[in-house]
Amino acid sequence: MGPVTSEQTSAAPDQPQVPALTAASTVREAPDDPPAGHVVIVGGGPGGYEAALVARRLGARVTVVERAGLGGAAVLTDVVPSKTLIATAEWMTIADRAPELGIRLDALAAVGAGASGAGAGTALRHSIDLQAVNARVKQLATAQSDDIRARLAREGVDVVTGTGRLLDPARVAVTGADGREHELAADVVLLATGATPRVLPDARPDGERILTWTQMYDLDELPERLVVVGSGVTGAEFAGAYTSLGADVVLVSSRDRVLPGEDADAAELIGRIFTQRGMTVMSRSRASAARRTADGVVVTLEDGRTVEGSHVLLAVGSVPTTRGLGLEEAGVRLTPSGHVEVDKVSRTNVRGVYAAGDCTGVLPLASVAATQGRIAMSHALGDAVRPLSLRGISANIFTAPEIATVGLSEARLRETGTHYRTSTLPLSRNPRAKMLGVRDGFVKIFAHAGTGTILGAVVVGPRASESIFPLTLAVTHRLTADQVAEASTVYPSMSGTIGEVARMLHQRAID
């Protein structure tokens, strides 16, 4: 997040500034404009459409400018599609545990017309129809986008298809698919343009063999050998999913381990599971180029080694979608990385212009984008507002098992010299986990050494994204380990381990 300027600091967060309705903008707008003015939102992703709903509730006329489809990349090419694909892969992982639960996949009872009658189905086959999987992925993404459009329409939000560009703080130019341009007068502008996949200069995606994650859903057949370049969240998720789906996967990591920015214990566990499932993990190997061959690809590493495959996925981060938007001309300050610089109420340095989501570089999560958008509209339109706090933001990596985190990481606690206590329990000791055949995963909680306040937590296991919620509440509301330990949990349940780890922290505190 960029620094807050002295001009921005002069207005306290609890005393929002409402952009004045200038005489010029009043003339340009229709006479029946609501008193809150006209809000123009460039980008229809989570930051944009959530902001639109808040602005309408606060009495503004709202226009959303979106070129690809409502929901943005989060719905159409990123979060919803990838997690749908991963959910399919998860069933394959569950099937792998079937034998130890007493289920024989090669001897399932016939289904259909009867146990043995004509028309009965065949036994379940352990295989994937990737074309059908990806068709379902696209269908669900489109359905979610349509739901968002319908919701905005019900709330009276105008949606304009086209590319938005800032002419000045009070005008947005919209270019349609036909190349025609028209202007929208605005009293408040919110930029929510997101980000796009970063590519390597010598590895240009072609949509067939050299791919970004947005192009993976056009594949009709499972890659024979998929080379994944990048071991961050996106790379690890796709590498894990395609391994579960049955592809031969090579993960090229420039760092010492998979998921280098995550909890060390969690990352080590995932790396070990990847290897056990047959994935090839190449650590300390940085890719420099990728080129097509007659029937596949060759990835060249910086040290001269090469890796052959049928396809390559580039998962080397993203870049903010801020070029060509007229930001520099309008005086909107950008960071050296090209992100829009904002403060904790989503203001840019230009009065009346706000920004939310991945284009700001604050934290690349759909939930954070949505929160930024809501805060921006509350601040701009004079409602009560609480500045953005990342303290209670939970995040999840959809590998198998999942990795969910909230609050301060152990690395951050050490870096800041915070006195803390930590307790960890493996899920393999949990009775519910034993029933489900779950062996991998753990719960780890960090608490302040003096007060016992929970500072952060890590949950690794099936549905960790669901299990992290009570710990998110604890971090958000500054609960102590004792308070969490006193809450009842169902027996048997996976969440029972959370309570047990909290009780362990109390025992250590009184040693």
Side-chain angles (χ1 to χ4, degrees), residues 369-387:
T371 300
Q372 286 181 289
R374 290 191 291 261
I375 288 174
M377 292 301 98
S378 295
H379 184 272
L381 300 176
D383 197 19
V385 63
R386 177 176 296 176

Side-chain angles (χ1 to χ4, degrees), residues 241-418:
Y242 271 88
T243 296
S244 296
L245 291 174
D248 178 15
V249 176
V250 179
L251 181 60
V252 178
S253 173
S254 63
R255 307 289 287 275
D256 291 338
R257 57 178 170 84
V258 174
L259 297 170
E262 302 302 320
D263 178 83
D265 292 333
E268 181 181 352
L269 174 61
I270 293 298
R272 184 168 66 251
I273 290 173
F274 279 177
T275 301
Q276 290 172 351
R277 290 178 180 162
M279 186 189 304
T280 301
V281 179
M282 301 180 65
S283 301
R284 295 184 293 277
S285 302
R286 186 180 297 275
S288 60
R291 62 177 176 84
R292 290 189 61 160
T293 61
D295 57 355
V297 294
V298 173
V299 177
T300 303
L301 308 182
E302 286 189 347
D303 60 8
R305 290 177 296 161
T306 60
V307 183
E308 296 184 1
S310 61
H311 300 75
V312 58
L313 167 62
L314 302 176
V316 289
S318 59
V319 294
T321 308
T322 53
R323 288 187 177 183
L325 298 181
L327 303 185
E328 295 92 339
E329 294 83 352
V332 176
R333 189 157 49 236
L334 302 179
T335 67
S337 60
H339 293 90
V340 181
E341 187 177 289
V342 295
D343 64 8
K344 292 186 178 182
V345 292
S346 302
R347 287 178 296 187
T348 71
N349 62 299
V350 175
R351 182 180 175 87
V353 179
Y354 292 73
D358 288 3
C359 68
T360 68
V362 172
L363 194 60
L365 295 173
S367 58
V368 172
T371 300
Q372 286 181 289
R374 290 191 291 261
I375 288 174
M377 292 301 98
S378 295
H379 184 272
L381 300 176
D383 197 19
V385 63
R386 177 176 296 176
L388 178 68
S389 171
L390 300 180
R391 173 185 174 85
I393 299 295
S394 54
N396 194 74
I397 301 172
F398 290 83
T399 47
E402 296 178 4
I403 302 173
T405 56
V406 67
L408 297 174
S409 66
E410 189 160 17
R412 181 61 177 165
L413 290 169
R414 290 173 176 169
E415 180 184 317
T416 57
T418 303

